[in-house]
Amino acid sequence: WGRVFEAGASQIPDEAADAKRRRLEKKAEKRASKRAHEAANAGNWSVYVSGIPKDLSYTAVHSLFSKAGEVRRVKLYKDSSGNQKGDGLVTFGSEAAVRAALERDDWQLFGEMLTVQPATFTEKPTVAREEWARIVVLCGLFSQEEIAEAEDRKEFVNSLEEEVWRECAKFGSVERVQCFPVDGACPL
């Protein structure tokens, strides 16, 4: 009988360990499923906010929009020199919070009226990793003011692309030169 009791006693810890392992696996699966669901809906649960005073931190925006619901993330956009542009993205934890934020039309932050609208996302074209070695990105070649002052915008951009082509050709073969504005409102 001694061996029977010993065998039974040794199985109890194994069964308890297995049950604990299964519980932990189930919890991990639930967490992973929840994270995947949130990631899939992050675009639907985001709003674009403009009119944010440029001297504020994200915590002020976070605390303001937490009145509508759980705020998961606040991203304030910055210009090329690192200064805030006055707009940003607020991502909520639920669709109900997004609806509450969009329904309210009196969002104010330190006396400044904020504009809140649904966030829209466009997918950026991807470039295969093998092509990276052949791509060069040049920033700050022109400003919106320069384009606005140009008599013919298309001609301005074409001459800029041609000039960049000539300079880059000094270092090797060039397949294409294309100008992209940093600001989506740029009239290119």
Side-chain angles (χ1 to χ4, degrees):
W1 286 105
R3 278 189 250 146
V4 172
F5 287 123
E6 287 175 16
S10 66
Q11 286 179 358
I12 291 173
D14 290 342
E15 290 174 9
D18 284 344
K20 184 176 182 179
R21 183 186 48 78
R22 283 193 303 272
R23 277 194 314 272
L24 291 174
E25 286 175 358
K26 192 173 182 179
K27 275 186 177 180
E29 282 178 23
K30 274 187 171 180
R31 272 190 243 122
S33 173
K34 185 177 179 180
R35 270 190 241 115
H37 177 69
E38 289 173 357
N41 288 303
N44 299 334
W45 295 352
S46 298
V47 294
Y48 175 75
V49 182
S50 58
I52 302 170
K54 296 179 182 180
D55 57 341
L56 290 181
S57 68
Y58 81 98
T59 53
V61 177
H62 185 281
S63 63
L64 175 70
F65 281 96
S66 63
K67 295 174 185 175
E70 179 190 2
V71 175
R72 291 287 171 100
R73 181 173 184 244
V74 173
K75 177 170 177 54
L76 299 179
Y77 296 121
K78 297 181 179 184
D79 60 18
S80 59
S81 61
N83 299 320
Q84 290 186 25
K85 293 171 55 177
D87 60 345
L89 194 68
V90 177
T91 303
F92 290 97
S94 68
E95 190 176 341
V98 173
R99 279 195 306 271
L102 292 172
E103 288 171 359
R104 186 172 165 185
D105 61 352
D106 62 341
W107 289 107
Q108 286 189 22
L109 204 51
F110 297 105
E112 298 286 328
M113 285 299 294
L114 304 179
T115 304
V116 179
Q117 55 194 23
T120 56
F121 299 96
T122 57
E123 192 163 330
K124 295 180 180 177
T126 57
V127 177
R129 194 175 195 101
E130 305 85 51
E131 301 289 321
W132 285 8
R134 299 187 313 185
I135 295 175
V136 177
V137 178
L138 302 174
C139 299
L141 290 176
F142 63 93
S143 66
Q144 279 195 359
E145 290 79 25
E146 289 176 303
I147 292 176
E149 292 171 2
E151 289 181 31
D152 183 5
R153 293 177 181 154
K154 208 166 199 67
E155 180 58 35
F156 173 81
V157 172
N158 287 340
S159 66
L160 184 64
E161 288 175 343
E162 192 174 311
E163 182 181 344
V164 170
W165 183 290
R166 281 193 305 269
E167 292 299 316
C168 289
K170 293 177 183 177
F171 299 98
S173 66
V174 178
E175 291 180 18
R176 182 176 77 173
V177 174
Q178 186 171 1
C179 288
F180 293 98
V182 174
D183 186 354
C186 185
L188 256 185

